[in-house]
């Protein structure tokens, strides 16, 4: 099944900072344009997040916003970061085990 990319698209590092500050549960999906893994993982994560409406998501393309890699110490993409009240609580990168990510999301959502 094909999922359109429904993630809010960040246009600046300031927008990402504001998004994290404005949402109790903020998920940041960092990708690059020519990253096959990024494009494969994104719809799976998007579908998973439908179960967790409290988690708000934004996507940042590191090609368009190069500062994002330095700001969040990202060495490989995709990078999946979940912030709880501004503090990074989950970090997954490159090869993401979806069942484990789901368990982590569930644990945080249950405690919120």
């Amino acid at each position: 099944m094909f999922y359109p990319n429904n993630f809010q698209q960040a246009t600046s590092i300031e927008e990402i900072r504001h998004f994290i500050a404005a949402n109790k549960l903020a998920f940041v999906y960092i990708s690059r344009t020519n990253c096959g893994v990024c494009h494969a993982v994104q719809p799976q994560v998007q579908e998973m997040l439908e179960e967790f409406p409290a988690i708000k998501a934004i996507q940042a393309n590191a090609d368009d916003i190069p500062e994002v890699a330095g700001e969040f110490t990202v060495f490989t993409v995709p990078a999946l970061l979940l912030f709880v009240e501004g503090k990074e609580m989950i970090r997954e990168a490159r090869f993401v085990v979806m069942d484990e990510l789901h368990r982590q999301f569930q644990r945080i959502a249950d405690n919120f």
Side-chain angles (χ1 to χ4, degrees):
M1 177 181 249
F2 175 76
Y3 278 83
N5 187 341
N6 292 331
F7 285 146
Q8 176 182 335
Q9 300 298 306
T11 56
S12 69
I13 194 72
E14 292 76 20
E15 183 181 2
I16 298 166
R17 289 181 191 133
H18 176 76
F19 181 85
I20 292 168
N23 292 287
K24 286 184 186 294
L25 299 177
F27 177 77
V28 181
Y29 187 85
I30 302 170
S31 61
R32 294 184 84 97
T33 305
N34 294 322
C35 167
V37 176
C38 299
H39 297 297
V41 169
Q42 182 268 325
Q44 296 175 61
V45 173
Q46 185 174 304
E47 182 180 13
M48 186 186 305
L49 285 173
E50 289 174 8
E51 290 182 48
F52 305 103
I55 300 175
K56 305 305 179 199
I58 194 167
Q59 182 170 2
N61 185 321
D63 292 330
D64 299 334
I65 311 170
E67 311 93 323
V68 78
E71 177 94 5
F72 299 109
T73 320
V74 170
F75 297 105
T76 186
V77 289
L80 292 67
L81 310 176
L82 181 68
F83 295 85
V84 177
E85 296 181 333
K87 183 177 186 328
E88 183 182 313
M89 297 299 284
I90 295 175
R91 172 182 289 252
E92 295 291 333
R94 194 71 180 151
F95 300 108
V96 180
V97 178
M98 289 298 156
D99 290 344
E100 178 58 28
L101 184 63
H102 187 276
R103 273 193 294 279
Q104 292 179 41
F105 282 173
Q106 188 73 58
R107 183 174 44 84
I108 285 177
D110 288 350
N111 289 317
F112 234 82

